[in-house]
């Protein structure tokens, strides 16, 4: 059985390959790009920030009665930008600056939620207004927002570094800012985020089911965006599409009619 | 291309630079070729391939039926169409053949007179290539998943063996002893690899999600363990602290200079580590599908810049840029799962073997004459020879 030359290399990949070849052989082009590099990193961080802001606009606020800050997931950025390593780098830069906060959501070890720091502080204080835990929460936020970029805290850190007492830690857990991780350590969390996670997982399953049930298990991205959302899907369709593309739960194929999403077998979600 | 040649000739450029640029171009144009084939001998899937280091001429393959085959890859026939011939095999009829599937084969690093194979029949055999009889046989208590001999060792001739037992065993080829064991893992050892830079450094990957780096001269435990969070204990759940992967760690590969180590795990991730400090370089390759219950055999290119990683992913081989993490292409051609792949550094060819019992040779496409004239190439499909429009016959009529 003769195997013919594989025509598996699509035109998009060929042009990417040609671009790579041309770079190594073209000295002039390399000198020009070398000049452009110093300016790039600054623009890169602003780029991620604007993508995050776009994603935040897709988040449905009134679904949660305005009690949650807009949340985006880190892997949603991978569907907007092709270079995953630079996305990771820029996100950690923003976290180090204190502009962005990252949370471990708990349903997937690789799924991280991102919230802008000012939004988080505003919503948490809004939720705490009038309760007796307000003072402790304010103290915690003051410690957290400028400097700390941890996802979880253990007892030693809370007692020694942050100088909280045991009862204050209990108050923080009650207010929802900390969630129990195991004996003596806590995850940083978003208050009232339980509903968000529940709707998110349900919606993700429903959207993946839509892709799977389509003919041949694949659907054009534009067609999926126009489909009517079922009652299971509470968020906007685009929000879920960025999620499943970024988490590589569907394969993204460039075709002449646009981007095609093909269901990948072996998914649990 | 001519500017590179001139720069090399006049001393403006390092001689290596042209070689690297051309090797990179060749790797980027890997494709299946009509003219290159490998004889099909295995009746069951192919688990492992190894190309000898000295000449790059002979290739070993081990299959799920216990058969070991040696191929000659050199083309002496003066014809373009060439099929890699089988030189000899250790077939089912041989008295010494392995009873169950052969998991790893490796040529002796210094000459082709000897090769070592290990199998699920709990033995590791050291074969004499001339007579195809085992010169030495090591028995183990559990299935042998992998073994490796150091490619640069001068002071020792140890073979590191990974079995179902959490202890890594070191067998000495000179004396036949196997009393040296490395303790530290808590699960089956799926992959072992010696460093190509230092002859005493060994890396092992296990089902307990950890990858340990050892110096075999040291009496007490491992040097360090690879931690995917780089010591940031807050990121992971408490059980996942100090692990290299969130699932079983089942593939290891050092880069050619030995400075970096790649590991793959069943959490569908591939990670690049600095092999001296054990730091995770955090290059994000995305989802590298990995469902292997045994070790995964993948390989890195040599002599290119930037380097490429070839990983078997399902029925195709994925090619990633080593330091950028981007997916360059998927090499599709196998009919079933791909189990192993091996890179030939002299010709920039990739050989891959899988469950469909085929070994496919991915050969760089020959350079096209008009690289600048991209428009005409794309119109004609790129693979046929493009005729310069100046020489095209546009005036004679068809009736004559």
């Amino acid at each position: 059985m003769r195997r013919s030359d594989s025509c598996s290399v699509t035109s998009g990949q060929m042009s990417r390959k040609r671009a790579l070849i041309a770079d190594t052989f073209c000295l002039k082009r390399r000198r020009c790009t070398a000049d452009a590099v110093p300016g790039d990193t600054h623009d890169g961080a602003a780029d991620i920030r604007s993508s995050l802001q776009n994603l935040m606009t897709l988040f449905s606020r009134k679904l949660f009665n305005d009690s949650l800050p807009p949340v985006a997931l880190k892997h949603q950025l991978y569907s907007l930008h092709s270079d995953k390593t630079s996305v990771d780098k820029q996100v950690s830069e923003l976290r180090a600056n204190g502009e962005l906060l990252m949370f471990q959501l708990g349903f997937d070890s690789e799924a991280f939620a991102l919230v802008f720091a000012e939004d988080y502080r505003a919503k948490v204080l809004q939720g705490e207004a009038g309760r007796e835990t307000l003072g402790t929460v304010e103290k915690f936020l003051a410690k957290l927002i400028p400097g700390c970029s941890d996802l979880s805290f253990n007892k030693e850190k809370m007692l020694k570094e942050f100088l909280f007492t045991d009862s204050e830690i209990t108050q923080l857990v009650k207010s929802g800012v900390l969630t129990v991780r195991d004996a003596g350590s806590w995850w940083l969390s978003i208050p009232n985020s339980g509903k968000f996670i529940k709707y998110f997982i349900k919606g993700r399953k429903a959207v993946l089911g839509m892709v799977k049930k389509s003919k041949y298990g694949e659907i054009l991205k534009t067609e999926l965006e126009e489909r009517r959302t079922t009652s299971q899907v509470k968020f906007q369709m685009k929000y879920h599409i960025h999620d499943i593309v970024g988490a590589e739960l569907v394969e993204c194929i460039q075709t002449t009619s646009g981007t095609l999403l093909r269901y990948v077998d072996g998914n649990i979600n | 291309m001519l500017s590179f040649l001139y720069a090399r000739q006049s001393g403006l450029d390092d001689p290596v630079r042209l070689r690297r640029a051309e090797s990179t171009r060749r790797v980027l144009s890997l494709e299946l070729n009509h003219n290159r084939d490998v004889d099909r001998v295995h009746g069951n899937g192919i688990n492992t391939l190894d190309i000898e280091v000295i000449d790059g001429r002979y290739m070993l393959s081990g299959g799920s039926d216990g058969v070991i085959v040696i191929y000659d890859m050199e083309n002496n026939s003066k014809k373009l169409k060439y099929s890699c011939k089988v030189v000899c095999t250790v077939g089912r009829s041989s008295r010494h053949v392995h009873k169950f599937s052969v998991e790893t084969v490796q040529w002796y690093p210094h000459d082709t007179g000897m090769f070592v194979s290990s199998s699920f029949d709990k033995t590791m055999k050291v074969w004499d290539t001339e007579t195809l009889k085992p010169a030495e046989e090591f028995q183990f208590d559990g299935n042998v998943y992998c073994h490796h001999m150091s490619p640069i060792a001068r002071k020792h001739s140890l073979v590191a063996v990974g079995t179902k037992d959490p202890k890594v065993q070191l067998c000495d080829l000179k004396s036949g002893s196997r009393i040296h064991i490395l303790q530290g893992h808590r699960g089956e050892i799926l992959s072992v690899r010696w460093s190509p830079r230092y002859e005493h450094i060994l890396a092992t990957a296990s089902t307990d999600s950890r990858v340990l780096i050892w110096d075999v001269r040291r009496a007490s435990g491992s040097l360090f363990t690879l931690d995917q969070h780089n010591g940031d204990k807050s990121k992971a759940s408490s059980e996942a602290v100090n692990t290299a992967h969130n699932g079983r760690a089942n593939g290891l590969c050092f880069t050619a200079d030995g400075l970096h180590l790649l590991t793959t795990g069943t959490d569908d991730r591939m990670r690049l580590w600095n092999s001296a400090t054990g730091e995770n370089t955090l290059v994000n390759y995305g989802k590298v599908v990995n469902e292997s219950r045994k070790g995964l055999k993948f390989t890195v290119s040599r002599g290119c810049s930037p380097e490429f990683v070839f990983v078997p992913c399902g029925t195709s081989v994925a090619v990633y840029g080593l330091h950028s993490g981007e997916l360059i292409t998927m090499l599709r051609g196998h009919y079933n799962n791909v189990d192993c792949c091996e890179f030939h550094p002299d010709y920039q060819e990739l050989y891959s073997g899988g469950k469909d019992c085929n070994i496919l040779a991915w050969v760089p496409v020959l350079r096209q004459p008009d690289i600048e004239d991209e428009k005409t190439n794309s119109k004609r499909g790129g693979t046929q020879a493009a005729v310069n429009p100046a020489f095209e016959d546009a005036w004679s009529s068809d009736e004559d």
Side-chain angles (χ1 to χ4, degrees):
Chain A
M1 207 194 310
R2 233 347 78 191
R3 189 180 277 107
S4 58
D5 277 348
S6 65
C7 306
S8 58
V9 180
T10 61
S11 57
Q13 284 174 324
M14 261 320 256
S15 57
R16 203 180 343 141
K17 273 194 198 169
R18 280 208 202 111
L20 267 165
I21 298 168
D23 268 352
T24 51
F25 275 94
C26 184
L27 295 164
K28 264 195 213 143
R29 205 181 297 174
R30 206 145 11 126
R31 277 192 218 116
C32 295
T33 54
D35 290 343
V37 156
D40 242 343
T41 47
H42 180 68
D43 291 330
D47 211 21
I48 292 288
R49 202 183 295 130
S50 56
S51 312
L52 271 175
Q53 278 159 351
N54 281 340
L55 286 170
M56 302 293 187
T57 55
L58 292 171
F59 181 82
S60 344
R61 279 181 200 238
K62 53 182 172 56
L63 189 60
F64 303 102
N65 296 329
D66 221 15
S67 60
L68 270 189
V71 182
L73 287 114
K74 189 166 90 152
H75 56 256
Q76 284 173 327
L77 287 171
Y78 297 152
S79 82
L80 292 167
H81 297 269
S82 57
D83 191 354
K84 296 189 176 81
T85 318
S86 74
V87 165
D88 285 345
K89 233 190 266 178
Q90 287 164 35
V91 166
S92 17
E93 253 177 48
L94 288 173
R95 284 175 65 211
N97 285 345
E99 285 180 45
L100 204 59
L101 286 172
M102 193 155 98
F103 305 92
Q104 168 69 276
L105 286 178
F107 62 87
D108 190 355
S109 57
E110 303 273 343
F112 296 105
L114 298 172
V115 183
F116 281 116
E118 315 90 54
D119 289 340
Y120 182 73
R121 167 186 255 139
K123 287 295 174 191
V124 168
L125 292 177
Q126 178 192 323
E128 287 298 306
R131 293 208 211 150
E132 69 276 8
T133 48
L134 180 64
T136 329
V137 171
E138 267 178 4
K139 189 170 150 199
F140 183 68
L141 286 177
K143 287 268 165 61
L144 178 73
I145 285 187
C148 184
S149 50
D150 276 344
L151 268 71
S152 77
F153 307 94
N154 60 12
K155 200 155 187 176
E156 215 182 276
K157 187 162 187 185
M158 293 296 280
L159 293 177
K160 306 273 166 49
E161 219 180 290
F162 289 172
L163 302 170
F164 281 106
T165 61
D166 267 334
S167 61
E168 286 181 323
I169 298 178
T170 323
Q171 287 184 340
L172 287 173
V173 174
K174 239 172 74 177
S175 69
V177 172
L178 290 180
T179 328
V180 168
R181 177 180 164 204
D182 69 44
S185 72
W186 300 270
W187 292 115
L188 184 67
S189 87
I190 311 170
N192 307 321
S193 59
K195 219 169 159 192
F196 166 73
I197 297 176
K198 185 172 93 173
Y199 288 158
F200 184 78
I201 296 178
K202 264 206 198 141
R204 190 196 243 189
K205 227 187 211 162
V207 172
L208 276 177
M210 271 193 227
V211 178
K212 190 173 178 191
K213 285 206 203 109
S214 316
K215 197 171 183 195
Y216 307 121
E218 55 193 28
I219 185 172
L220 283 174
K221 192 162 155 189
T222 42
E223 208 183 302
L224 187 62
E225 279 168 15
E226 282 160 23
R227 283 258 187 104
R228 207 161 50 92
T229 58
T230 63
S231 60
Q232 298 278 333
V233 179
K234 307 272 195 230
F235 292 108
Q236 284 192 40
M237 195 47 115
K238 281 200 180 169
Y239 192 77
H240 278 297
I241 291 179
H242 282 305
D243 164 50
I244 58 178
V245 169
E248 293 185 81
L249 296 168
V250 289
E251 211 181 309
C252 222
I253 302 164
Q254 298 296 332
T255 64
T256 45
S257 336
T259 318
L260 185 72
L261 303 177
R262 182 180 289 158
Y263 184 73
V264 172
D265 257 336
N267 283 334
I268 317 165
N269 288 341
Chain B
M1 177 66 166
L2 284 177
S3 63
F4 266 86
L5 283 170
Y6 178 72
R8 183 174 195 254
Q9 193 180 5
S10 57
L12 285 170
D13 255 350
D14 204 281
V16 172
R17 198 147 170 261
L18 169 63
R19 191 210 157 116
R20 278 214 200 106
E22 183 61 17
S23 305
T24 315
R25 190 203 69 81
R26 283 170 66 86
V27 172
L28 286 172
S29 60
L30 280 179
E31 251 185 31
L32 279 179
N33 201 327
H34 278 315
N35 299 328
R36 181 68 71 88
D37 212 357
V38 179
D39 274 355
R40 187 178 160 157
V41 175
H42 284 280
N44 219 320
I46 294 161
N47 284 330
T48 175
L49 289 173
D50 190 41
I51 300 177
E52 47 120 355
V53 190
I54 301 96
D55 278 333
R57 183 175 171 173
Y58 296 104
M59 180 164 73
L60 263 178
S61 76
S64 297
D65 44 5
V67 169
I68 301 173
V69 185
I70 302 178
Y71 306 87
D72 179 355
M73 295 191 295
E74 193 163 303
N75 184 359
N76 287 327
S77 66
K78 294 194 175 52
K79 285 191 285 216
L80 196 56
K81 197 157 166 22
Y82 173 68
S83 176
C84 297
K85 298 269 171 287
V86 174
V87 174
C88 52
T89 81
V90 177
R92 301 272 356 136
S93 52
S94 156
R95 211 154 45 93
H96 308 284
V97 72
H98 279 288
K99 292 195 181 47
F100 298 126
S101 88
V102 175
E103 287 303 311
T104 320
V105 282
Q106 192 191 3
W107 285 107
Y108 182 56
H110 305 295
D111 64 59
T112 52
M114 194 163 91
F115 62 89
V116 184
S117 69
S118 63
S119 139
F120 269 179
D121 66 356
K122 306 181 189 177
T123 62
M124 181 170 79
K125 298 194 178 163
V126 181
W127 301 81
D128 177 346
T129 324
E130 207 66 32
T131 58
L132 286 183
K133 290 204 182 68
E136 179 79 67
E137 192 173 313
F138 294 94
Q139 282 282 348
F140 296 97
D141 289 329
N143 289 347
V144 183
Y145 283 110
C146 58
H147 74 267
H148 198 234
M149 276 181 281
S150 172
I152 49 166
R154 294 264 168 238
K155 297 213 186 84
H156 69 80
S157 46
L158 293 171
V159 186
V161 187
T163 68
K164 238 182 174 149
D165 197 8
K167 298 197 278 273
V168 182
Q169 308 211 20
L170 296 176
C171 302
D172 188 0
L173 286 177
K174 279 210 193 97
S175 62
S177 79
R178 24 181 298 214
I179 47 174
H180 195 165
I181 55 172
L182 302 174
Q183 283 204 343
H185 277 297
R186 290 193 276 271
E188 302 171 358
I189 313 286
L190 294 178
S191 189
V192 291
R193 217 80 195 163
W194 291 92
S195 160
R197 198 176 174 87
Y198 302 111
E199 57 176 348
H200 296 286
I201 302 290
L202 175 69
T204 57
S206 154
T207 53
D208 63 1
S209 316
R210 293 188 312 156
V211 175
L212 296 177
I213 309 284
W214 311 80
D215 181 337
V216 295
R217 297 168 297 187
R218 220 165 102 132
S220 62
S222 55
L223 283 179
F224 48 84
T225 173
L226 299 181
D227 180 10
Q228 56 177 314
H229 302 292
N230 283 337
D232 186 6
K233 293 204 175 43
S234 70
K235 268 199 139 187
S237 56
S238 353
E239 312 88 54
V241 166
N242 256 347
T243 55
H245 283 275
N246 289 328
R248 298 189 291 273
N250 61 8
L252 284 177
C253 189
F254 276 95
T255 55
D257 52 14
L259 293 174
H260 292 272
L261 172 65
L262 277 162
T263 62
T264 56
T266 51
D267 57 349
D268 292 341
R269 296 276 174 264
M270 182 160 68
R271 300 191 209 275
L272 182 70
W273 311 81
N274 179 332
S275 58
T277 60
E279 182 203 336
N280 185 354
T281 57
L282 296 174
V283 177
N284 193 333
Y285 297 96
K287 187 168 166 185
V288 180
V289 177
N290 186 344
E291 289 160 344
S292 175
R293 297 231 61 209
K294 317 180 283 196
L296 183 71
K297 295 178 171 51
F298 62 104
T299 183
V300 181
S301 67
R302 277 194 278 291
C304 308
S305 141
E307 299 283 7
F308 302 98
V309 189
F310 304 96
V311 188
C313 270
T315 57
S316 47
V317 180
V319 184
Y320 289 94
L322 182 69
H323 292 286
S324 68
E326 65 166 310
L327 176 65
I328 310 279
T329 182
M330 297 282 273
L331 299 174
R332 283 179 237 273
H334 277 279
Y335 298 125
N336 208 329
N337 281 349
V338 182
D339 284 323
C340 52
C341 56
E342 191 67 27
F343 185 73
H344 195 317
D346 297 329
Y347 300 123
Q348 288 84 42
E349 290 164 356
L350 183 73
Y351 291 88
S352 59
K355 285 207 177 58
D356 58 355
C357 316
N358 283 325
I359 299 178
L360 293 183
W362 305 85
V363 172
V365 171
L366 286 177
R367 176 185 281 280
Q368 291 309 305
D370 312 321
I371 253 189
E372 301 89 42
D373 210 5
E374 282 192 7
K375 280 193 283 273
T376 45
N377 267 354
S378 55
K379 257 188 247 163
R380 291 160 208 275
T383 43
Q384 304 146 359
V387 179
N388 196 316
F391 298 117
E392 241 178 56
D393 186 349
W395 56 80
S396 46
S397 112
D398 284 334
E399 290 160 0
D400 290 342

